[in-house]
Amino acid sequence: MTHKGLPLSASLANQRENLVRKWFDGIAQAYPESTTRFLAREKDPFQNPIGHTLKENLSVLFDKLIQPKETASLTTELNDIVRMRAVQDFSAGQAVSFPFLLKKILREECTADVSRYPEEFADLEARIDEMALLAFDLFMKSRERLYEIKYNEAKRSMFMLEKTRQNGNSRQ
Amino acid sequence: MSEETLSPEQLVQIDYTPSKKNWLDPTVEFRKGTYCYSGVAKHVKYLDLPNPREWQPTDSDWKLPPDWKQIILDGMKERLEKYRSFRLFMDICVRCGACADKCHFYVGSGDPKNMPVMRAELLRSVYRRYFTAAGKLGKLAGARDLDEGVLKEWFYYFYQCTECRRCSVFCPYGIDTAEITMIGRELLNLVGCNINWVIEPVSNCFRTGNHLGIQPHGFKDSMEFAAEDLEEITGIKIEPPINKKGAEILFIIPSADYFASPHYYTLLGYMLLFKEIGLDYTFSAFAGEGGNFGLFTSHEMIKRLNAKIYEEAKRLGVKWILGGECGHMWRVMHQYMDTMNGPADFLEEPVSPLTGTRFENALSTKMVHICEFTADLIKNNKLKIDASRNNHRKVTFHDSCNPARALGLFEEPRYILRKACNYFYEMPENTIREQTFCCGAGAGLGTDENLEMRMRGGFPRANAVKYVHDKYGVNLLSCICAIDKATLPTLMDYWVPGVEVGGVHELLANALVIEGERERTTDLRGDEMEQSGAETTDA
């Protein structure tokens, strides 16, 4: 494996703002047009939780991805994004497609880096692929969670029935 | 956007171009998890509502009456004449966009038809077409014909509005979009397009007085069971008064308080408080439901269901009415009951028997919110409170939409919480009080088949809770609404695991020092309290 401080990561770090913005824009464009504008424009994190969740977490994911450390966990940030997309109006494929969008952007925006560091670039793309697989796992967890919480809600709505059934005999 | 299964080839061909749709095109897709099931025929029939039948929104044929279009247009005409507000709201909007990004469903889903202005336009476009001269210009004037596609779109979006009224706070003209939704639903009801999570509770209420159809003996059992639980926890014996003639106060609660969790702990809280202060009150097995899903059906249905409140107050001969931790009940009580079911001239001006405080704000309805009543008790040093008993709870408060925006109740619950809890933290200012974000499940949408849509609609609320959870370690979201207590735990389980949901009077009763009680080591839920040895103080 490669080590921290490679020229590729330094080069990408220099282009961070542009690349993360393009990644964000690409994701935001999957929403209807007026919403795309809203997600990009509204700065208040509580008024614009979708845009905020995307912006915050994409930046951290980008920083972690360009550092070729095996240990950097992407789970927390990725989960915040995937959990949101798992209940929005997307198919499963659409919901977890956003990592691939980064590959497309990198190849379009960083042509010099691609040819200068072919091996490191391939490593980076492999890490993005791994992130996509992790996104799919997290998507499935969110979907399974929906069924669990649905069951728990039904149980809470029958709380008294259950309680009287459990305790009824001992009180008679 | 659909349930179709994509092939691997299709999956790798990602289309980055957003689709361009005209908003006047009324296509909606009823995707599982994002809509509510239709009203079951027997309940529709029981209420004498039109067109009872077996159908589902996913059916291509909704089995509408042959003259459905005329029924809707006649219904619109009647309401335009009957409600000046409706005509005004149809005419006055200038599409300034102030409301556009204020709806929790829009903010959480990104679907532009959830912008309040757009949701209203779904109805307004038909109004323009049939009731204005400009409508003859058709799409040029933003007008469109009423067809089945439009009706289905109404169903989809008017049952995707929780009537929370956050958008109306921001409208410079004061347009109340919830009232537009209410009229939209009334019109849909005229041709039998309603949802079962509303219609079944309405039907049950009409029969037994409460949402689940619990009969009087079941009501009595539940109350006695709660009293036994309280005796086990505190050592205090309580006999819950039910249908007690001549009691001073009739106490109305949402039925979930006596069948669901975590509502039940709030019920224990009220009972303990009333025992401690020796209140002369009564529950009613007939008026055993503050909730009124008539509000989500039609104006006529609000009136039909709410009649029981004053009828029972009269029958029992009480002086005034106290209401529990219920959400939309307070919109009905505060904004409709007086004119719909009143005047309550057989009742007296509510006066606290302990403090002598006159609740002049409730002079016309004769009904006081429990938080007003309790805050007044604390203010007048009538309760002994040991806030350290809640030290295991780091608490925030969700302003339930209706007590906040319909009743204007902001400070009283906070006053109680600050006295009863040592650790209380507010969520960001633009997510509380009159700007509070809805739970995403009000107005009859709290059903499990609609769970994904609820998770979208509740995302802005959950996002603010996550903030105080991460920053202060908040682990309890308190609220004063039964629908919140039913649906916020689910919302938290998805978005902010580790945060429980509870009532204000549950927390108060944890901290309440009762004469003759045994040493309390657990709270009302049976969770261990921290033994801090803090001093007990008069509040």
Side-chain angles (χ1 to χ4, degrees), chain B residues 361-426:
Chain B
N361 57 317
L363 195 56
S364 63
T365 61
K366 314 289 197 296
M367 186 154 175
V368 175
H369 194 287
I370 182 117
C371 285
E372 294 171 315
F373 179 76
T374 305
D376 174 62
L377 290 175
I378 297 175
K379 182 87 180 164
N380 286 287
N381 299 318
K382 298 293 178 190
L383 303 179
K384 272 190 176 174
I385 293 175
D386 175 4
S388 72
R389 289 178 174 184
N390 278 318
N391 277 358
H392 58 310
R393 303 290 187 199
K394 294 196 168 44
V395 181
T396 190
F397 180 66
H398 159 69
D399 289 88
S400 307
C401 304
N402 283 298
R405 280 188 282 263
L407 192 63
L409 193 81
F410 302 127
E411 298 311 324
E412 289 85 345
R414 289 181 165 81
Y415 182 76
I416 299 169
L417 288 169
R418 287 204 168 94
K419 293 290 181 184
C421 308
N422 285 326
Y423 302 105
F424 176 74
Y425 306 92
E426 289 281 15

Side-chain angles (χ1 to χ4, degrees), chain B residues 19-86:
Chain B
S19 61
K20 303 279 182 222
K21 276 188 190 169
N22 187 327
W23 72 269
L24 286 163
D25 171 21
T27 47
V28 287
E29 200 171 348
F30 289 94
R31 175 179 146 157
K32 273 183 191 165
T34 66
Y35 65 91
C36 301
Y37 295 153
S38 62
V40 171
K42 69 171 180 181
H43 300 304
V44 178
K45 211 171 186 171
Y46 186 79
L47 293 161
D48 294 323
L49 292 176
N51 200 17
R53 69 208 182 283
E54 296 303 332
W55 70 288
Q56 282 304 340
T58 42
D59 296 344
S60 57
D61 179 8
W62 281 20
K63 300 177 192 164
L64 299 169
D67 57 343
W68 71 268
K69 194 169 153 179
Q70 200 52 49
I71 294 172
I72 294 273
L73 292 175
D74 289 349
M76 239 174 137
K77 182 170 184 293
E78 184 193 333
R79 282 158 185 78
L80 284 164
E81 287 162 5
K82 197 155 79 176
Y83 304 115
R84 278 188 306 167
S85 55
F86 179 42

